[in-house]
Amino acid sequence: MSTTTNQRETIEALDERFQERRRQVPVLAKRADAEGISAIRAKEDLVPLLFPHTTYKSYPETLVSKGRWAQLNRWLDSLSTHRVDVDVTGVETVDDWIERLESAGHLVTSSSGTSGKASFLNKTRRDRETSLRNMLDGLSELGVVPARTWHVIPVGPDTGVSAHQATRDLILDAYARPDSIPIPTAEVRKDHYSYLSRVAVIRKAMADGTANPDDVAAIEADGAKRQRQTEERLRHFAGHILKHRHERIFFNSMFAPLFRLCEILEESGATAGDLTGENALMTGGGLKGNTLPPDYQERIFRMLNISPSRFYHYYSMQELNLRAPKCAEGRYHVPTGLTLFVLDKDGETLASASDGEVEGRAAFFDATVDGRWGGTITGDRIRVDLRGCPCGRGGESIHPDIVRYSDLRDDDKIACAGTIDAYVRGFVAE
């Protein structure tokens, strides 16, 4: 099939989804009307309709801090394909709100809020199923096919969040042997999002110099307790890893806790080469604000005996169901169903290519997204090779040197963010 035919089919698919979603997502309809866009005839037409990642945190903060859950429903409804008509009687915390919505089929996920304010994204069961299936497909393509022959270690803490639980259960069901290393039981938490919200509020108050010392002390004590529990969990796993050092172990973890696990193994006397099982690792994203030594990945791989052929690393985000897996050459490849846009820094136009490469702000359209509009402008600066990849795959490949604009001297301002936020606020006020 020719490149021209592929491009035409992509545009036709984008227009078909746009026509469907503009009837379902109120903010998308308002944005399209304001821009005079009635059809997608070229990739450029979709750029003004992509939602900045900040859109999903555009609610007034008082809706959470003062428990105005009905208004928060209206805010979420304006960004959703399925109406958020859910009774919030008796809801007291943001965790209660998320649990109530989930019981009605709105599987709301939230960011950590480390930037000071959490994002809330409405997802459906279809979104979750698609994402989980994509995860297994990625592992299988790598060669780590589902087989219950592994010890499975979900390294991170048990947050009590259903999305995290679903991912953990998927990996356990697909890979864990009957006598897999036991996962330590933890107290059932019902305050994950409330806690993160409190942390964000305290951080902001500390930066402003308005923090109450008692509030700071309370949140620090809570944080210390959680850190102790995480440390106990890691030491539990370290002990079992040493007992099963010659058997296959599947690690599911972000880099920071995995690096700490390796430090604990070293403290226990283990050295690189002690683990001989053909171990595997699945992880996504970067360091999430944590600081690790420059060679942290190499040290993790050596200690845990993980080869590139058993390392499933991907680039994705909460706004997407699909993942761009990293190949053996260290580049990320955009899968079918995900359309990549490389925009200028302000997110207004497609960036210009030079010598077969283009650099700018990453944006995506995920055709599989069911609960929302699938177009997202990220906070990431990426560099893309348009000529294919040394691994042999054709098409676009994303270099691994991905950075957040907020981590650079440049700020993370997206030109259309204020306008779309105003649309959303209008729906809340109605």
Side-chain angles (χ1 to χ4, degrees):
M1 187 178 293
S2 69
T3 301
T4 301
T5 301
N6 279 333
Q7 291 174 342
R8 184 174 65 251
E9 290 182 351
T10 297
I11 296 302
E12 290 174 354
L14 290 173
D15 182 59
E16 182 179 358
R17 183 51 55 91
F18 166 65
Q19 300 301 338
E20 178 185 18
R21 290 292 183 250
R22 72 179 302 189
R23 296 190 296 268
Q24 299 169 322
V25 182
V27 171
L28 176 62
K30 196 171 186 67
R31 178 65 173 171
D33 290 345
E35 292 294 318
I37 298 173
S38 59
I40 305 301
R41 299 182 178 86
K43 200 173 179 180
E44 291 83 352
D45 293 339
L46 203 66
V47 172
L49 303 177
L50 300 172
F51 288 180
H53 64 97
T54 54
T55 298
Y56 296 101
K57 59 176 69 176
S58 61
Y59 56 90
E61 290 184 78
T62 55
L63 300 191
V64 173
S65 63
K66 296 187 177 180
R68 294 172 177 168
W69 310 116
Q71 285 181 280
L72 196 59
N73 276 1
R74 289 202 296 273
W75 169 81
L76 188 67
D77 182 85
S78 72
L79 294 166
S80 302
T81 57
H82 307 283
R83 303 285 60 85
V84 184
D85 184 15
V86 180
D87 181 16
V88 290
T89 303
V91 170
E92 295 183 359
T93 69
V94 66
D95 293 274
D96 294 340
W97 177 68
I98 289 175
E99 184 176 4
R100 183 69 59 84
L101 290 178
E102 182 158 325
S103 67
H106 300 284
L107 309 186
V108 175
T109 62
S110 175
S111 69
S112 62
T114 53
S115 62
K117 191 179 182 183
S119 299
F120 296 118
L121 294 95
N122 201 356
K123 300 185 180 184
T124 65
R125 299 198 184 281
R126 182 184 298 176
D127 284 320
R128 180 169 294 179
E129 290 166 0
T130 299
S131 179
L132 294 176
R133 184 169 59 251
N134 174 255
M135 180 179 291
L136 282 186
D137 289 345
L139 284 163
S140 297
E141 184 177 344
L142 181 68
V144 184
V145 297
R148 303 200 65 177
T149 57
W150 303 74
H151 292 287
V152 173
I153 296 184
V155 177
D158 190 346
T159 62
V161 175
S162 69
H164 301 168
Q165 184 72 42
T167 300
R168 189 187 79 167
D169 289 348
L170 176 80
I171 299 302
L172 288 170
D173 291 344
Y175 293 95
R177 50 194 279 179
D179 61 344
S180 180
I181 290 172
I183 299 172
T185 57
E187 61 179 297
V188 179
R189 291 194 173 277
K190 293 290 187 180
D191 68 339
H192 179 73
Y193 295 116
S194 298
Y195 170 72
L196 294 177
S197 179
R198 291 197 303 273
V199 170
V201 169
I202 291 297
R203 283 177 176 166
K204 184 176 180 180
M206 291 175 68
D208 295 342
T210 60
N212 182 302
D214 291 339
D215 292 339
V216 173
I219 207 71
E220 287 180 345
D222 197 354
K225 177 183 177 181
R226 291 167 188 256
Q227 184 58 42
R228 286 194 301 271
Q229 292 171 337
T230 298
E231 186 77 2
E232 290 170 1
R233 180 183 178 91
L234 294 177
R235 291 189 178 279
H236 164 89
F237 284 136
H240 283 281
I241 289 168
L242 294 176
K243 293 177 184 177
H244 301 278
R245 66 181 69 196
H246 304 309
E247 300 168 13
R248 295 201 307 173
I249 303 174
F250 186 123
F251 296 92
N252 176 20
S253 176
M254 302 300 289
F255 282 120
L258 196 66
F259 185 78
R260 177 58 190 147
L261 176 63
C262 291
E263 288 182 325
I264 293 172
L265 287 169
E266 290 176 350
E267 293 165 8
S268 302
T271 60
D274 285 353
L275 275 64
T276 60
E278 295 181 345
N279 302 327
L281 168 63
M282 180 180 73
T283 190
L287 298 181
K288 300 295 184 183
N290 295 285
T291 301
L292 295 179
D295 62 343
Y296 70 92
Q297 286 196 39
E298 290 80 1
R299 290 169 62 178
I300 289 171
F301 292 168
R302 287 196 302 269
M303 174 58 73
L304 301 182
N305 192 32
I306 295 167
S307 74
S309 64
R310 301 187 302 274
F311 176 41
Y312 181 47
H313 191 192
Y314 55 84
Y315 175 46
S316 190
M317 55 211 63
Q318 287 206 80
E319 290 85 354
L320 307 178
N321 290 336
L322 304 180
R323 297 162 182 79
K326 181 182 280 189
C327 71
E329 296 294 330
R331 296 189 185 182
Y332 300 101
H333 290 269
V334 180
T336 301
L338 198 60
T339 303
L340 170 66
F341 299 78
V342 184
L343 309 180
D344 65 349
K345 176 181 173 295
D346 294 330
E348 292 186 295
T349 60
L350 293 172
S352 299
S354 175
D355 296 326
E357 293 203 342
V358 58
E359 180 176 286
R361 185 181 291 272
F364 296 94
F365 185 84
D366 187 335
T368 72
V369 170
D370 180 52
R372 308 171 317 285
W373 172 232
T376 299
I377 303 176
T378 77
D380 297 337
R381 187 187 71 184
I382 63 172
R383 186 164 55 95
V384 177
D385 192 329
L386 305 174
R387 301 161 296 189
C389 177
C391 77
R393 295 189 190 183
E396 304 161 324
S397 61
I398 303 173
H399 288 278
D401 52 342
I402 299 170
V403 295
R404 293 185 177 184
Y405 278 104
S406 59
D407 292 336
L408 302 171
R409 287 189 175 182
D410 297 331
D411 56 35
D412 186 21
K413 290 184 179 178
I414 301 173
C416 65
T419 302
I420 293 181
D421 288 359
Y423 298 155
V424 179
R425 287 194 298 271
F427 285 105
V428 173
E430 290 176 359

